[in-house]
Amino acid sequence: MLYKNRIMKRGVKIILLCIIAVVFIGCDRVTKELAKEHLKDKAALSFYHDTFRLDYVENTGAFLNFGSDWPATASFWLMNILPLLFLAGLFIYTIIKTATHTLMGVLPFLLICSGGLGNVIDRMVYDRHVTDFMNLGINNLRTGIFNFADVYVSTGVVMLLVFQWKNRNKNPNNV
């Protein structure tokens, strides 16, 4: 009976993870479509003394436009297929980890998967173009323009680093 309960709990966790991933990807898709509808071909919108800007950009590269000048074939394999394979592996790893980790313990992996998939979907559907529309900064010190998928990936990575740091401090003998 205990084994059956564990399997049931794990199944519920996996279903919940899948629902959360769909919600994250859906939010990313909706915000990108809203950006296309309301920001494309318009001047940037500025908020909070220009700390936050909404500015529509279509990016054909990765982070800070890296790889935007690559040939279409190289871009397809290196920015679509390779990340898709990595994300599939990471998602499988996440599902496996549900047996031993809490939802909070696998959330960083889920955020990375959802964000990565959100941008891969854009690249595949819109011929290598990813919609970016948010920018933070003070005066000329600004971030690159990004989207919610980028926020998910960044948040997941930061969470992993924090969890790793906390675990190291709990077990100083672990290296």
Side-chain angles (χ1 to χ4, degrees):
M1 186 65 155
L2 182 62
Y3 178 73
K4 190 175 181 180
N5 282 343
R6 246 189 265 156
I7 289 177
M8 190 86 129
K9 278 185 178 182
R10 185 168 181 219
V12 169
K13 268 199 259 186
I14 291 169
I15 291 169
L16 191 56
L17 283 175
C18 291
I19 291 169
I20 292 169
V22 167
V23 168
F24 282 151
I25 293 167
C27 287
D28 177 60
R29 300 286 335 128
V30 166
T31 57
K32 287 174 179 174
E33 291 304 317
L34 287 170
K36 285 180 185 179
E37 183 180 332
H38 297 285
L39 300 172
K40 189 174 184 177
D41 300 323
K42 295 184 176 136
L45 300 174
S46 175
F47 302 93
Y48 307 109
H49 306 289
D50 204 33
T51 303
F52 180 70
R53 288 184 195 162
L54 294 175
D55 191 10
Y56 183 86
V57 172
E58 289 182 0
N59 182 2
T60 56
F63 179 70
L64 296 176
N65 230 12
F66 173 74
S68 62
D69 56 348
W70 291 353
T73 304
S75 178
F76 174 77
W77 286 99
L78 295 172
M79 291 200 192
N80 290 347
I81 302 305
L82 194 61
L84 201 54
L85 292 172
F86 171 79
L87 293 168
L90 186 61
F91 189 74
I92 291 167
Y93 174 81
T94 304
I95 297 298
I96 291 168
K97 284 296 179 184
T98 60
T100 57
H101 286 65
T102 64
L103 278 175
M104 193 62 173
V106 295
L107 182 62
F109 301 109
L110 184 67
L111 284 165
I112 293 167
C113 288
S114 299
L117 190 55
N119 282 337
V120 169
I121 289 169
D122 258 21
R123 283 192 194 99
M124 289 185 164
V125 172
Y126 298 109
D127 187 33
R128 303 184 334 168
H129 292 84
V130 174
T131 300
D132 291 328
F133 56 92
M134 294 183 284
N135 180 265
L136 297 171
I138 299 171
N139 296 324
N140 290 332
L141 182 61
R142 308 204 65 82
T143 65
I145 299 177
F146 57 94
N147 57 46
F148 277 100
D150 300 329
V151 172
Y152 300 155
V153 171
S154 299
T155 303
V157 169
V158 168
M159 287 176 73
L160 284 175
L161 292 172
V162 168
F163 290 168
Q164 183 67 28
W165 178 76
K166 285 174 93 175
N167 284 340
R168 278 225 169 121
N169 285 344
K170 280 183 189 175
N171 303 322
N173 294 333
N174 274 351
V175 177

